[in-house]
């Protein structure tokens, strides 16, 4: 059947349609297409297949390979629509995402323009402090980055093979057969290495594995192998009409491959370790469809299904559909502060299809065929222009967001009689009470906040060279007054890490050498939680605790402070049973607190448990960033479950015979927890402190822990 562009197989356009529709369905609806994310893997195989097909045809027809010409074709094909969507997304982000989310999202658009979004999201996705935050409006550009990074390597590999065999590509006679075997061997070696790395990384660093070109390259590589095999077969005149038995096998193989893709889309979900070996099912199925469809002879039933005109049209629009659908689904959710209702989702999808059709008609096709871009140098020169456009849009959006933040309202302060007025000698506690009172009296949000809302998400404590989130790091990094003979150790998870600015300040003021044995996601208890993405034991947590206890024994510090959030994940009991019910988890974790505190007690002069700070029902930054935000509307509350978990910590400390230090008074007054205290924003998200507020609490923390200068 014919397609919109001569020479392009209709069944491939249909397969593109299947891929993009599954991706959109998985993003728009919770069910039933829970594994629709594998549509991206189908795209990878198709891309590797088609690009290799074009490169091989060029070598076979001209005897050479023009790297510049290849990149020029990619520029005409990819850049116009990608740039249009990035600029539009930057504008929408500045208008609707507010001063907390917009700056980060606008930075993401610039990374996407450089085709480095996968690097950006692999890095931020492994940051525990970024977990639970809304996704970036351009997060889907990671797959485009993977493709373009692959295309930086694969043509060069082909060129190296050609040069190795002929001396120089220009000396190769036109219409000579390309070195198929050597090319297949090269891509096979790269693909096997990528697959092995994918399996290893998926098991140990799943977020990095998901976004990495090194772990996804084998998927494009298999597509390339399929194209090379078909081209070699055709060049050796082996492409005669298949026999009847061969046609039957082809029918069965194509049908089974399509069934595999459908089943995977319906059975995989967010808990499926991916990519790893699990990606091989949709990848191999896609390769089978591409190869069977390219064997010649009568079309299979699957070929005819995929070649139907509606699917071909969606396939033609698939690139624009992929680009537009994500921001149209994500930005409204973040603007409204809730999930889209079914009708709203359908409207967003209708807008997606309308914009995609227009993009295909007025952007993709005109630029692809533009006469003025036929010269490769001109086409490649479009790239820096597009980067400049996106960077300008991001910079303009950032300036507009910064200008939208209200200024002039003074900070909330304490009067001279604050001890009497607020019935406490704790100045930080008094400021919380004053801030709650000011909110209820209609005081405006202070014009100068610390940190500024635009910087809120970056306010994460620095652990220096000892980032124990990396399991290979096993050394000590002293800080504070490193020459002091008084030693203080802080141990726990991310809720110990956010106290680092406070301990840094008091250590320098009072003369303590400090060590921060903190590992994010590793609850401060001798217990084995799951890994967070599936019900597999987080064994690295136990290994870290064993090492940390050994180091504390050698240091014999003056004080060990344990600080941790309770886990809301599953845990394993002593018999290896996986538990998820809150009562069972609380019981096991409670005993784990006791076991850790008991193990630490003989190793230090003193041990204290810093009770966890309140976990709020709403993200304060999101509340403050709303257009109609007030201090009163951002008086938040602590979750009830968290209050119970903190009570469990207090009971464990009592059982272990160590001091439990309360912290709630520094964040909430009764049931009200202000999003702004004085001119400080205490929280960077619903459960982690900002650096600024942590440092602010240093004097009160030292007093509660009984620390003083010599």
């Amino acid at each position: 059947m014919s397609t919109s562009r001569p020479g392009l197989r209709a069944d491939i356009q249909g397969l593109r349609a299947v891929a993009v529709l599954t991706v959109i369905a998985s993003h728009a609806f919770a069910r039933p297409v829970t594994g629709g994310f594998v549509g991206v893997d189908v795209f990878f195989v198709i891309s590797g297949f088609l690009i290799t097909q074009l490169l091989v045809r060029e070598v076979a027809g001209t005897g050479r390979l023009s790297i510049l010409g290849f990149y020029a074709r990619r520029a005409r094909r990819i850049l116009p629509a990608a740039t249009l969507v990035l600029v539009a997304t930057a504008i929408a982000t500045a208008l609707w995402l507010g001063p907390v989310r917009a700056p980060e999202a606008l930075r993401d658009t610039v990374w996407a323009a450089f085709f480095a979004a996968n690097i950006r999201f692999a890095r931020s996705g492994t940051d525990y402090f970024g977990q639970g935050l809304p996704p970036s409006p351009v997060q889907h550009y990671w797959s485009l980055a993977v493709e373009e990074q692959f295309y930086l390597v694969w043509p060069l590999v082909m060129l190296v093979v050609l040069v190795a065999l002929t001396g120089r590509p220009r000396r190769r006679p036109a219409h000579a057969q390309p070195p198929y075997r050597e090319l297949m061997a090269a891509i096979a070696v790269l693909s096997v290495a990528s697959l092995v790395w994918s399996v290893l990384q998926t098991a140990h660093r799943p977020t990095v594995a998901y976004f990495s070109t090194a772990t996804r390259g084998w998927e494009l590589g298999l597509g390339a192998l399929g194209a090379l095999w078909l081209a070699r077969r055709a060049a050796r005149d082996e492409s005669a009409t298949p026999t009847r038995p061969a046609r039957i096998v082809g029918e069965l193989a194509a049908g089974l491959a399509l069934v595999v893709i459908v089943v995977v889309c319906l059975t995989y979900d967010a808990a499926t370790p991916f990519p790893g070996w699990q990606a091989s099912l949709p990848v191999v199925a896609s390769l089978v469809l591409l190869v069977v469809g390219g064997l010649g002879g009568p079309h299979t039933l699957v070929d005819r299904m995929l070649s139907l005109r509606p699917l071909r049209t969606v396939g033609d629009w698939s690139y624009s559909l992929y680009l537009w659908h994500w921001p149209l689904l994500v930005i409204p959710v973040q603007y409204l502060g809730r999930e889209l209702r079914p009708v709203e989702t359908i409207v967003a999808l209708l807008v997606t299809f309308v914009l995609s059709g227009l993009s295909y008609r007025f952007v993709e096709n005109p630029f692809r065929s533009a006469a003025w871009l036929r010269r490769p140098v001109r086409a490649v020169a479009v790239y820096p222009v597009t980067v400049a456009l996106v960077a300008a849009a991001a910079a303009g959006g950032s300036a507009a967001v910064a200008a939208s933040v209200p200024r002039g309202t003074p900070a909330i302060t304490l009067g001279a009689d604050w001890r009497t007025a607020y019935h406490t000698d704790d100045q930080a506690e008094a400021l919380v009470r004053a801030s709650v009172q000011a909110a209820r009296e209609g005081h405006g949000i202070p014009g100068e906040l610390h940190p500024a809302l635009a910087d809120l998400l970056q306010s994460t404590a620095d652990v220096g060279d000892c980032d124990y989130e990396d399991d290979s790091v096993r050394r000590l990094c002293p800080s504070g007054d490193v020459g002091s003979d008084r030693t203080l150790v802080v141990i726990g998870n991310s809720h110990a890490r956010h106290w680092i600015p406070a301990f840094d300040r008091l250590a320098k003021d009072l003369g303590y050498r400090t060590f921060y044995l903190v590992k994010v996601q590793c609850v401060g208890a001798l217990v084995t939680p799951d890994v967070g993405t599936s019900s597999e034991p987080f064994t690295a947590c136990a290994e870290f605790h064993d090492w940390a206890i050994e180091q504390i024994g050698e240091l014999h510090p003056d004080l060990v402070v344990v600080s941790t959030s309770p886990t809301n994940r599953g845990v394993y009991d002593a018999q290896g049973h996986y538990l998820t019910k809150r009562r069972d988890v609380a019981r096991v974790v409670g005993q784990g607190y006791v076991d850790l505190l008991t193990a630490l007690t003989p190793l230090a002069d003193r041990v204290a448990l810093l009770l966890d700070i309140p976990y709020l029902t709403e993200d304060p930054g999101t509340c403050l960033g709303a257009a109609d935000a007030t201090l009163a509307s951002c008086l938040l509350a602590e979750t009830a479950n968290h209050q119970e978990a903190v009570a469990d910590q207090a009971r464990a400390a009592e059982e272990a015979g160590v001091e439990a230090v309360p912290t709630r008074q520094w964040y909430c007054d009764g049931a009200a927890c202000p999003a702004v205290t004085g001119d400080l924003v205490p929280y960077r998200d619903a459960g982690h402190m900002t650096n600024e507020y942590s440092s602010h609490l240093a004097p009160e923390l030292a007093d509660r822990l009984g620390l003083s200068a010599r």
Side-chain angles (χ1 to χ4, degrees), residues 197-260:
W197 187 241
S198 179
V199 172
L200 293 174
Q201 288 290 89
T202 300
H204 296 96
R205 302 179 70 192
T207 303
V208 173
Y210 193 88
F211 291 114
S212 172
T213 301
T215 60
R216 297 284 192 162
W218 67 275
E219 302 178 22
L220 291 107
L222 282 191
L225 280 174
L228 288 167
W229 184 81
L230 286 175
R232 181 171 181 265
R233 181 175 179 272
R236 297 173 62 179
D237 295 325
E238 296 176 1
S239 55
T241 301
T243 62
R244 179 177 175 79
R247 291 200 302 272
I248 293 174
V249 171
E251 289 277 4
L252 293 174
L256 179 60
L258 188 60
V259 168
V260 166

Side-chain angles (χ1 to χ4, degrees), residues 420-440:
T420 302
Y422 298 108
H423 311 291
T424 179
D425 289 329
D426 187 319
Q427 190 169 4
E429 181 180 357
L431 189 58
V432 170
R433 294 179 181 177
S435 299
V436 171
Q437 180 180 332
R440 289 171 173 163

